[in-house]
């Protein structure tokens, strides 16, 4: 079964700071990769996804993620965060051929105005 | 967001009582999923469905059952609720099993006293 690791579960940073959240997965085969965001009191929304092609993926709200196959990683980045980016961020992985997602434990990000 | 609704949105119940949560989608998606979200665990798959009357277990299925008699509805039942089932439950749906995005409902917060 897939396992997904997210480190630094609680991140506090000031507005305009850069954000990078790490995501590592265990499966060595072909994978589909996702980052979801959950704003306070809301449901999960897709931030970005990678299925194939360019390993640098751009998502909504200025977020991007880079798939590095050799490192089994899919790290999320944003160059300059805003207060409205305060949320919990989840990395998720599915193996090629099915869509059963394995989620990481999440990163709680708090942006201080 | 695939028009996914969940009911009830909040429920408080007592240990030993049966509880049924409902997920309803309006986009005719074939695949549906039930997850539970707990602090420090992220989201974990309980059960999923790949069509009417076709369901299978996820990683945390003990104590839960599901039914799908219509494409649009996916029910999650706790036969005899326990305090360990206090959680936030999310339903998700997607059209294709492979390489597709799951869309999530707003969640049901269940408290078992």
């Amino acid at each position: 079964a897939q396992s997904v690791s997210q480190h630094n579960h609680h991140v506090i940073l000031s507005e305009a700071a850069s954000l990078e959240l790490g995501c590592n997965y265990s499966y060595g085969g072909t994978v589909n990769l996702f980052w979801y965001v959950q704003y306070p009191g809301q449901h999960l929304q897709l931030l970005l996804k990678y299925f194939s092609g360019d390993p640098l993926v751009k998502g909504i709200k200025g977020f991007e993620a880079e798939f590095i196959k050799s490192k089994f990683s899919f790290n999320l980045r944003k160059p300059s965060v805003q207060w409205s980016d305060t949320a919990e961020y989840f990395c998720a992985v599915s193996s090629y051929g099915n869509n059963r997602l394995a989620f990481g434990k999440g990163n709680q990000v708090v942006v201080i105005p | 967001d695939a028009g996914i609704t969940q009911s009830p949105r909040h429920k408080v119940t007592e240990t030993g009582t049966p509880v049924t949560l409902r997920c309803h989608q309006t986009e005719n998606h074939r695949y549906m999923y039930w997850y539970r979200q707990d602090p420090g665990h992220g989201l974990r798959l309980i059960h999923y469905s790949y069509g009417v009357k076709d369901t299978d277990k996820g990683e945390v299925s003990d104590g839960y059952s599901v039914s799908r008699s219509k494409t649009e509805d996916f029910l999650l039942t706790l036969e005899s609720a326990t305090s360990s089932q206090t959680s936030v439950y999310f339903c998700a749906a997607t059209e294709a099993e492979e390489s597709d995005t799951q869309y999530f409902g707003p969640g049901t917060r269940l408290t078992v006293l």
Side-chain angles (χ1 to χ4, degrees):
Chain A
Q2 283 274 16
S3 70
V4 181
S5 298
Q6 293 180 243
H7 307 290
N8 301 322
H9 296 296
H10 293 90
V11 177
I12 301 174
L13 60 167
S14 300
E15 276 192 319
S18 64
L19 173 68
E20 179 160 0
L21 302 177
C23 174
N24 291 92
Y25 61 93
S26 62
Y27 183 63
T30 303
V31 293
N32 302 316
L33 299 156
F34 305 81
W35 275 97
Y36 281 88
V37 60
Q38 186 177 29
Y39 297 104
Q42 297 188 25
H43 61 283
L44 275 78
Q45 302 170 39
L46 182 69
L47 206 51
L48 48 78
K49 61 186 178 184
Y50 172 82
F51 292 154
S52 63
D54 189 343
L56 184 61
V57 179
K58 295 193 183 299
I60 61 172
K61 304 186 180 185
F63 284 90
E64 65 178 31
E66 185 175 12
F67 170 50
I68 303 179
K69 188 174 182 179
S70 61
K71 295 185 178 180
F72 301 93
S73 70
F74 190 54
N75 293 352
L76 181 71
R77 297 191 292 256
K78 184 170 183 178
S80 177
V81 295
Q82 301 172 318
W83 174 80
S84 57
D85 293 321
T86 294
E88 191 157 18
Y89 294 81
F90 293 95
C91 181
V93 179
S94 66
S95 305
Y96 182 79
N98 75 74
N99 205 13
R100 291 185 285 285
L101 292 176
F103 281 86
K105 294 183 179 181
N107 296 105
Q108 184 67 56
V109 174
V110 176
V111 179
I112 300 171
Chain B
D1 289 337
I4 299 174
T5 57
Q6 293 183 231
S7 59
R9 295 293 313 280
H10 301 271
K11 186 170 181 66
V12 179
T13 190
E14 294 187 348
T15 298
T17 59
V19 176
T20 296
L21 309 182
R22 179 178 183 245
C23 176
H24 180 79
Q25 54 122 342
T26 60
E27 298 295 320
N28 210 36
H29 287 320
R30 178 181 174 186
Y31 299 90
M32 298 185 75
Y33 308 81
W34 275 107
Y35 295 89
R36 60 177 290 174
Q37 183 184 26
D38 303 289
H41 289 277
L43 279 81
R44 292 177 291 176
L45 181 64
I46 305 171
H47 281 279
Y48 63 97
S49 169
Y50 43 94
V52 173
K53 295 190 176 16
D54 289 325
T55 64
D56 207 346
K57 296 178 179 180
E59 63 175 301
V60 290
S61 59
D62 287 349
Y64 301 95
S65 62
V66 290
S67 66
R68 191 159 178 213
S69 58
K70 298 185 290 184
T71 299
E72 58 266 34
D73 289 324
F74 192 31
L75 303 181
L76 177 71
T77 298
L78 290 65
E79 302 289 348
S80 177
T82 67
S83 59
S84 64
Q85 293 175 312
T86 292
S87 186
V88 180
Y89 292 86
F90 286 98
C91 173
T94 188
E95 176 53 32
E97 183 175 39
E98 183 179 322
S99 300
D100 201 2
T101 301
Q102 289 186 23
Y103 298 97
F104 284 80
T108 294
R109 182 173 296 276
L110 175 68
T111 301
V112 183
L113 302 176

